[in-house]
Amino acid sequence: MTVETVEVGPLAPGDVLVRVRAASLCHTDLEAIEGTLAVALPAVLGHEAAGEVFDVGPGVTGLKPGDRVVLSWNPHCGTCFYCEHGQPILCAQYLAHAPAAFHFDGRPRLACDAVPVHQLMYLGSFAEYCIVPAVSAVRVPDMMPFDRAALLGCGVMTGVGAATRVASMRWGDVAMVIGCGAVGLSAVQGCVLAGAGAIVAVDPNPARRQLAQELGATHAVEPDEAVDVARALTKDRGADVVIEAAGVPAGFRLSVEAVRPGGQVVWLGKVDVQQEVAFRWGSLMQEKRITRSSYGGARPQHDSPFSREPAWRAGLSWTR
Ligand SMILES: [Zn+2]
Ligand SMILES: [Zn+2]
C-alpha cells in the first residue's frame, strides 16, 4: 500500500461524497493486502468507516452535507430475486459487480494519473473522501463518535446480527461465541441483546476472554474446555446457539461439537474458499442447523432508525 493523491470524478446520480472521519481495519482488508482476496488494482482499500456527507449527486434527496453516516459495503438493487427475498447480501447486482470493484454502473469514480482506481467493496474508505452509492451511506445520530460508528459498518453489524437476526435465539438460551476478536466480541454483545441466559466466550487469549466478560459473557474459557462447560450448563445437551467467529478449522469443528442436538450454529469466520475443512460426521447429525453468514443478516438502511427512505430510493434509481 502507498499513499497517493487520487482524483475524484463528478458525482453521478445516486452518488454520495463522504468525508471519512474514521476508518477501521477489517480482516478482509488484510486479505486484500496479503493477496488471498483477489482485488482489481489499483484500488483504494477500506470498507469499515464513518464520516459526514460532503456532497450528494443528482437524485439523492434523503441525505445532505453534514449528515453523519456509517458506510455499508453491501449496496443492493432492491429488486432482484435475493433482494425480494430479504437477502441483500446475495443481491445479484452486488455479487456481479463486486469483482470489478467499481459501482453498479461499471464506471470508475476515482483516477490516479489518468488510470482508473477501483474501490474495495464499493467503498475504498482508507482515504479522506470516498464516493459511495447512496444506499451505502447509512445515517446515524450526530452524537455518535466517528471511531465508534465506524465499527458498526462491518464487524458490529456481522456479530450482533448473527445473534439477533441469523440465530433464532430464545430468552434464556445458552449461547457460545467461539473467537473473541472484533466480530466475536460484537456477537457476545448481540447475545446479551437477544436475551441469552448464559454466554460462553471461547478464546485461547486471556486478554480477549477478559474483554468478553466485560462485554457480557458469563463464562470465558479456553477452546479445550468449551464442550464441557456448555454441557455443564445444559444438563449435558450442549449450547443452544453457537456463533463461530474465529475463522480456523478447529473453530468450525468445535462449533458443531459444542451445540446441542437440534441447536443452531452460525459461522461467521472463513478460511480460503478452496480449502477443505473436515468434520467428524457424528458431530453434524441430530437436526443441527448450520448457517454461514457474511453480514449477520444485516439490512443496513432498514436497520438504522435514522436512515431515510428517499436515500434508499435514490440508490435504486441509478441501478436501472
Ligand atoms: Zn469487514
Ligand atoms: Zn438485488
Side-chain angles (χ1 to χ4, degrees):
M1 292 175 69
T2 61
V3 177
E4 305 284 349
T5 300
V6 170
E7 290 166 43
V8 178
L11 297 180
D15 281 355
V16 175
L17 179 63
V18 175
R19 183 181 172 212
V20 178
R21 298 293 301 274
S24 34
L25 179 71
C26 172
H27 191 255
T28 305
D29 295 303
L30 278 179
E31 289 180 344
I33 292 167
E34 291 165 353
T36 52
L37 174 71
V39 178
L41 299 173
V44 181
L45 305 182
H47 68 280
E48 193 179 65
E52 22 184 30
V53 173
F54 194 79
D55 197 5
V56 296
V60 178
T61 54
L63 293 165
K64 62 181 187 309
D67 281 350
R68 192 166 295 214
V69 292
V70 165
L71 302 185
S72 164
W73 49 263
N74 181 214
H76 44 283
C77 74
T79 56
C80 72
F81 175 89
Y82 292 106
C83 285
E84 291 284 2
H85 284 72
Q87 296 174 301
I89 195 66
L90 299 175
C91 169
Q93 291 220 41
Y94 168 76
L95 292 179
H97 293 281
F102 289 134
H103 285 207
F104 284 1
D105 62 9
R107 293 191 357 239
R109 294 328 196 243
L110 311 173
C112 189
D113 295 332
V115 176
V117 174
H118 302 265
Q119 296 171 263
L120 179 72
M121 298 170 86
Y122 302 95
L123 301 179
S125 56
F126 292 164
E128 291 171 297
Y129 294 87
C130 61
I131 297 183
V132 305
V135 68
S136 287
V138 183
R139 186 102 158 74
V140 293
D142 292 339
M143 68 179 71
M144 183 174 276
F146 287 111
D147 59 347
R148 263 44 70 84
L151 302 173
L152 294 180
C154 185
V156 171
M157 203 77 86
T158 304
V160 172
T164 61
R165 291 284 171 79
V166 183
S168 304
M169 188 99 65
R170 274 165 283 208
W171 185 260
D173 270 358
V174 172
M176 175 180 288
V177 175
I178 299 171
C180 297
V183 174
L185 292 173
S186 298
V188 167
Q189 295 170 85
C191 291
V192 174
L193 292 171
I199 302 167
V200 181
V202 182
D203 199 291
N205 182 327
R208 288 179 166 197
R209 292 201 299 271
Q210 173 72 31
L211 263 177
Q213 287 188 294
E214 289 170 18
L215 293 171
T218 56
H219 303 69
V221 301
E222 303 252 8
D224 59 5
E225 304 168 312
V227 170
D228 288 343
V229 170
R231 290 200 170 150
L233 291 168
T234 56
K235 297 183 179 167
D236 214 31
R237 291 188 298 268
D240 299 298
V241 174
V242 177
I243 298 172
E244 178 282 333
V248 292
F252 295 117
R253 278 192 283 271
L254 175 57
S255 67
V256 289
E257 296 284 357
V259 77
R260 68 165 167 83
Q264 303 173 74
V265 175
V266 182
W267 287 338
L268 301 175
K270 58 184 172 184
V271 294
D272 186 283
V273 291
Q274 300 302 333
Q275 182 179 339
E276 295 192 0
V277 178
F279 293 90
R280 186 179 67 82
W281 183 251
S283 69
L284 301 173
M285 293 182 64
Q286 296 184 300
E287 315 299 315
K288 295 172 184 175
R289 283 175 287 162
I290 302 170
T291 307
R292 169 65 182 54
S293 178
S294 286
Y295 209 10
R299 298 168 63 192
Q301 288 284 358
H302 180 269
D303 294 344
S304 170
F306 293 87
S307 72
R308 311 273 179 86
E309 185 71 11
W312 161 254
R313 286 201 209 99
L316 291 182
S317 61
W318 57 270
T319 63
R320 293 199 174 127

